[in-house]
Amino acid sequence: MFRNQEWRLYMVGLVGIALCTVIAISFLSFLGATIVAVAMILIIGISIGFTRFRYKEFEKLSSYLRQISSGAFSLDVRDNQEGELSILKNEIYKVTQMLSEQSSRLTNDKTKLTEALSDISHQLKTPLTSMTVMADLLANPKLPSEKREEFTQSIVMQLERIDWLVSSLLKLSKIDAGTVDFKRDQVHVVEMVKAAGAPLLIPMELKNQTFLIDGKSDVVFQGDFHWTKEALINLIKNATEHTDEGGVISISFSQNVIYTEIKIQDNGSGINKNELPHIFKRFFKGERSGANSIGIGLAMAHRIVTSQNGAIEVKSRLNEGTTFTLKFYRDNRSK
């Protein structure tokens, strides 16, 4: 405490004033000077005691901050007393809680990044190994031309698969990391459904499937057109792949005062009841999934919808078909 220069100046000033006052009063009255001297001694003693108490409290706060800096965020320095020290303790505790939450978010982000990198590495390993083998075979000058053409086509397909996989994983990682800024535009559902179905019309035509759209043109919701279209493409693609030739894929939509609803329905092979709770998990593949299925399309659709304050449900019966229901709730702030 006495190493503090400000404190020393304060005490020198206080003692100086006390001595001058006592000396001045002693010329008038010895008793008066004695009383003033005792009073000044008590004032100085109380000042020293009070300052020592505050120094101990500051030492406790310093120790608390040192422990916080080492990661002990569970400590609680708050008290219910009145005064500036209590206010300071409560403010420090608030900052501590904020740092704790930031630390948790950083740890969570690191975990997601590690998982994303692991997923990408794992999913790329198989097609890269396959392409390496086929490249070695293509290096053989005695390879028949028909086999050469087959392997070349296979490599092209693997490259297209890698391109789609990497693109999808990067999008999903951006959503998981919270770096996607979803817009809150007024989206006309019929336009979005037509745009989502367009790139899949040829695969549906090849399987002689019927694509139906049913809904009023004024049905809208508040959301991001392009990201929601991405979710719809994945759901329609899933329906196409799990519906036999000649099947029907239909999309219907409507709205009420609470939400806008979009249904994607097919009359395909359906999903096993025990698989339904897992179909939105990343890289989940059901028993009826195709050989080229990766299990990321439904996971991405789920993340896109739920990230926009929406909900997605699925109902399915084996050999009867599957229905995905999307609900986008109205934003009361826009009313």
Side-chain angles (χ1 to χ4, degrees):
M1 181 174 72
F2 291 99
R3 289 177 298 181
N4 189 325
Q5 184 179 3
E6 295 176 354
W7 166 250
R8 290 202 305 270
L9 291 173
Y10 169 75
M11 289 305 299
V12 167
L14 187 61
V15 171
I17 291 172
L19 287 175
C20 292
T21 303
V22 170
I23 291 172
I25 295 178
S26 66
F27 289 107
L28 302 175
S29 169
F30 177 76
L31 179 59
T34 302
I35 294 172
V36 171
V38 172
M40 295 306 294
I41 290 172
L42 290 174
I43 291 172
I44 292 172
I46 292 172
S47 296
I48 292 174
F50 180 68
T51 304
R52 179 168 294 175
F53 165 75
R54 289 170 65 85
Y55 265 75
K56 286 183 179 178
E57 291 297 313
F58 286 133
E59 286 177 0
K60 289 180 183 177
L61 284 177
S62 297
S63 174
Y64 171 78
L65 290 173
R66 283 195 294 273
Q67 294 180 69
I68 292 299
S69 64
S70 63
F73 293 116
S74 60
L75 297 176
D76 191 348
V77 75
R78 292 175 296 173
D79 63 35
N80 296 321
Q81 305 296 321
E82 294 290 340
E84 57 185 8
L85 268 175
S86 295
I87 294 174
L88 178 61
K89 289 178 180 177
N90 291 334
E91 292 299 322
I92 289 176
Y93 180 76
K94 290 178 185 176
V95 174
T96 301
Q97 292 304 302
M98 185 180 67
L99 292 174
S100 174
E101 291 173 3
Q102 289 180 346
S103 176
S104 298
R105 282 198 296 270
L106 287 173
T107 302
N108 192 35
D109 289 346
K110 286 181 180 177
T111 302
K112 287 181 178 178
L113 177 61
T114 302
E115 290 176 352
L117 292 174
S118 176
D119 289 343
I120 293 173
S121 173
H122 177 73
Q123 295 298 325
L124 290 179
K125 188 176 295 182
T126 301
L128 286 174
T129 303
S130 175
M131 285 193 296
T132 302
V133 172
M134 285 184 283
D136 289 340
L137 293 173
L138 285 172
N140 183 1
K142 298 181 180 178
L143 187 70
S145 58
E146 60 272 16
K147 282 291 181 184
R148 187 178 299 280
E149 183 177 351
E150 177 186 342
F151 291 156
T152 303
Q153 183 63 28
S154 180
I155 288 176
V156 171
M157 291 175 62
Q158 294 288 4
L159 286 173
E160 291 175 348
R161 185 185 181 206
I162 290 174
D163 180 62
W164 180 85
L165 172 64
V166 172
S167 173
S168 299
L169 286 173
L170 288 177
K171 290 175 182 175
L172 197 53
S173 299
K174 287 175 67 178
I175 297 173
D176 288 342
T179 57
V180 175
D181 184 18
F182 288 100
K183 297 179 180 177
R184 299 289 295 167
D185 298 331
Q186 180 170 280
V187 178
H188 288 270
V189 177
V190 65
E191 295 177 9
M192 184 183 65
V193 169
K194 289 179 179 177
L200 297 165
L201 291 178
I202 293 178
M204 283 190 275
E205 186 178 349
L206 292 175
K207 295 181 74 173
N208 196 28
Q209 294 172 339
T210 302
F211 183 51
L212 301 175
I213 300 176
D214 180 26
K216 295 181 179 179
S217 60
D218 59 349
V219 175
V220 297
F221 74 97
Q222 297 293 322
D224 190 296
F225 181 93
H226 295 288
W227 277 105
T228 313
K229 184 188 74 175
E230 183 88 22
L232 275 183
I233 289 174
N234 283 299
L235 293 171
I236 299 171
K237 182 172 179 288
N238 179 77
T240 304
E241 292 173 348
H242 290 83
T243 302
D244 294 332
E245 291 190 8
V248 178
I249 297 159
S250 62
I251 299 182
S252 59
F253 43 88
S254 60
Q255 66 182 23
N256 55 40
V257 295
I258 301 176
Y259 55 79
T260 297
E261 182 179 87
I262 305 172
K263 286 189 176 182
I264 300 96
Q265 191 169 14
D266 66 65
N267 60 351
S269 58
I271 305 171
N272 280 322
K273 187 176 180 180
N274 60 345
E275 293 178 352
L276 287 176
H278 310 290
I279 61 170
F280 294 122
K281 294 180 180 176
R282 197 179 306 184
F283 302 124
F284 176 79
K285 294 174 65 174
E287 293 179 358
R288 301 189 174 204
S289 298
N292 292 325
S293 173
I294 297 174
I296 197 171
L298 296 182
M300 181 182 292
H302 182 268
R303 291 291 290 127
I304 291 173
V305 174
T306 55
S307 295
Q308 298 182 85
N309 193 32
I312 180 169
E313 299 174 351
V314 57
K315 293 181 180 179
S316 185
R317 285 180 177 273
L318 284 178
N319 303 318
E320 292 185 12
T322 303
T323 301
F324 288 93
T325 303
L326 280 58
K327 292 180 180 177
F328 294 95
Y329 293 92
R330 290 197 170 193
D331 188 349
N332 293 329
R333 292 170 298 181
S334 63
K335 291 181 178 179

